[in-house]
């Protein structure tokens, strides 16, 4: 049975070096990513970090052109089956205006940097409470062959700017 995080999030400690929220994504629901991304100011950029490929593209970082929030919603709607059920990638939304980022990683954790109070308000409105999201150990990732065609379409969706994986991207 697939792991589903409880609806909990952790605010950073006031003296913490990392100043971001960490939240679990119950049921791999992309609405959590979208709701926190709505806290970002446009234009937005997506970063699709492909850790594990199944023939659709070279592993690496794929940065989108400038997007509106409506573009981001359309992207998530179009690729929802892949985003919800496959562990080959991480997805980032970034606002250069705010220097703020929302990261949805392959472990179904969200990391949100920037307007922390707004993020916390959104999470609470989704029924989240304070807690510590944890990745079970051991665990596995699923790379679903039935989603390979959709993964290829995702790579074809934008004129992405490609760069190689960074050491911190490799998991």
């Amino acid at each position: 049975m697939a792991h589903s995080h409880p609806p909990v999030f952790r605010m950073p400690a006031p003296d913490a070096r990392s100043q971001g929220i960490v939240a679990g994504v119950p049921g791999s629901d992309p609405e959590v990513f979208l709701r926190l991304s709505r806290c970002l100011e446009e234009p937005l950029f997506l970063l699709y970090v492909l850790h594990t490929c199944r023939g659709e593209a070279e592993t690496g970082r794929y940065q989108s052109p400038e997007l509106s929030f409506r573009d981001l919603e359309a992207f998530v709607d179009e690729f929802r089956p892949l985003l919800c059920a496959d562990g080959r990638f991480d997805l980032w939304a970034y606002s250069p205006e705010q220097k703020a980022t929302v990261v949805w990683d392959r472990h179904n954790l969200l990391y949100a940097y920037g307007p922390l109070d707004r993020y916390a308000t959104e999470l609470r409105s989704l029924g989240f409470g304070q807690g510590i999201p944890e990745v079970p150990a051991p665990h596995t990732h699923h790379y679903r062959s039935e989603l390979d065609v959709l993964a290829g379409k995702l790579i074809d969706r934008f004129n992405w700017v490609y760069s190689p994986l960074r050491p911190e991207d490799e998991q």
Side-chain angles (χ1 to χ4, degrees), residues 73-89:
E73 284 181 315
F75 176 87
V76 169
D77 286 345
E78 183 176 351
F79 298 104
R80 183 176 297 264
L82 176 70
L83 300 175
C84 293
D86 204 277
R88 64 184 88 187
F89 65 89

Side-chain angles (χ1 to χ4, degrees), residues 19-170:
Q19 294 299 312
I21 286 179
V22 180
V25 181
S28 303
D29 185 358
E31 185 60 26
V32 182
F33 177 75
L34 286 173
R35 289 282 291 269
L36 294 192
S37 296
R38 284 186 189 114
C39 297
L40 302 175
E41 294 176 17
E42 298 175 326
L44 303 174
F45 291 90
L46 280 178
L47 182 67
Y48 179 76
V49 181
L50 181 60
H51 300 284
T52 305
C53 74
R54 292 184 38 86
E56 72 274 21
E58 185 177 343
T59 58
R61 295 172 146 239
Y62 293 82
Q63 182 181 306
S64 73
E66 282 189 0
L67 302 174
S68 67
F69 184 74
R70 188 169 291 173
D71 296 330
L72 174 62
E73 284 181 315
F75 176 87
V76 169
D77 286 345
E78 183 176 351
F79 298 104
R80 183 176 297 264
L82 176 70
L83 300 175
C84 293
D86 204 277
R88 64 184 88 187
F89 65 89
D90 296 340
L91 187 63
W92 303 33
Y94 175 69
S95 168
E97 190 72 27
Q98 294 167 291
K99 295 184 177 31
T101 306
V102 177
V103 177
W104 181 11
D105 84 357
R106 65 175 27 193
H107 296 108
N108 273 321
L109 292 174
L110 281 178
Y111 299 88
Y113 308 93
L116 299 184
D117 291 336
R118 290 183 66 196
Y119 295 144
T121 298
E122 286 299 320
L123 289 167
R124 287 186 193 100
S125 76
L126 288 167
F128 281 67
Q130 289 285 335
I132 300 173
E134 296 180 11
V135 176
H139 68 278
T140 59
H141 295 278
H142 298 282
Y143 314 112
R144 303 186 189 284
S145 60
E146 64 271 21
L147 296 171
D148 290 350
V149 170
L150 192 58
K153 288 180 181 178
L154 183 148
I155 293 296
D156 293 338
R157 178 66 157 75
F158 298 121
N159 185 18
W160 302 95
V161 175
Y162 172 83
S163 61
L165 289 176
R166 296 179 181 171
E168 64 268 21
D169 296 328
E170 297 184 32

